[in-house]
Amino acid sequence: RATAAKRVNARTHTLATMALCMSTSASVAKVARPAVRASAEEKPASVPRRVTNALAAAALSASVALAGPVSSANAEIRLPPLDPDPERCERAFVGNTIGQANAVSDRILDLRQCNYVDKDLSTKTLSGALMVDSTFKGANMTEVVMSKAYAVNADFTGANFTNAVVDRVTFDGANLSNANFFNAVITGATFDGTNLAGAQFEEALIGKEDVKKLCENPTLEDETRFQVGCRN
């Protein structure tokens, strides 16, 4: 009987222990479930953030695309059609009066294919002007402001740029032979394929990168290289 009683007590103790374990597991499960639910509820909140970031990146990419291609020596620039205004070439004698430094104006200063041989354009602001295929042979451009002008293939033979501000001007393929840049300020300009034979840069203030570009031009020779600051 004593042995049987011990067995019954052992079984009772085992059952009690199992019940306690089951009760503890159930309690742990109940406590854990809200954590799982909370984690599940947090996931949807993170989706909008990812979507927002994606939209922001897409907007940034779109803005870069709308701003145009990255500038380079071989980049193709798409220009607008010629201004149909029959007096458009005469606007050079008035120049721009809005946004002089940044070449921002209410109207494009379209001087393409215009003839200014020996004309007096001194002190005019020609910021943002389109000068492609125009001729300025012997023109007086003293103290002219040419910020962001686009003068590809233009002819400036013998033009006088004394005290002029030549800022971010594209002179690619232009003819600047015998042009005079005495005391001019030259910054951010490009001279790819430009004819600089006989050009003068005495006392000109030339940006470091501009000096490098000018010195790489094979038409820049002798005394002119010394004026620009070429090392060889």
Side-chain angles (χ1 to χ4, degrees), residues 13-81:
H13 182 269
T14 301
L15 292 174
T17 302
M18 291 176 64
L20 178 61
C21 291
M22 291 177 66
S23 176
T24 303
S25 299
S27 299
V28 171
K30 289 180 181 179
V31 173
R33 281 177 187 173
V36 174
R37 287 176 183 172
S39 177
E41 290 173 357
E42 289 177 0
K43 288 183 180 179
S46 64
V47 174
R49 293 193 188 98
R50 290 197 296 268
V51 173
T52 302
N53 292 338
L55 290 175
L60 179 60
S61 299
S63 64
V64 172
L66 290 174
V70 177
S71 61
S72 68
N74 299 319
E76 180 182 355
I77 304 298
R78 295 183 179 179
L79 299 177

Side-chain angles (χ1 to χ4, degrees), residues 148-169:
K148 294 185 179 180
Y150 192 70
V152 172
N153 298 327
D155 190 349
F156 295 94
T157 301
N160 185 3
F161 288 96
T162 297
N163 297 327
V165 176
V166 181
D167 174 44
R168 293 165 288 178
V169 178

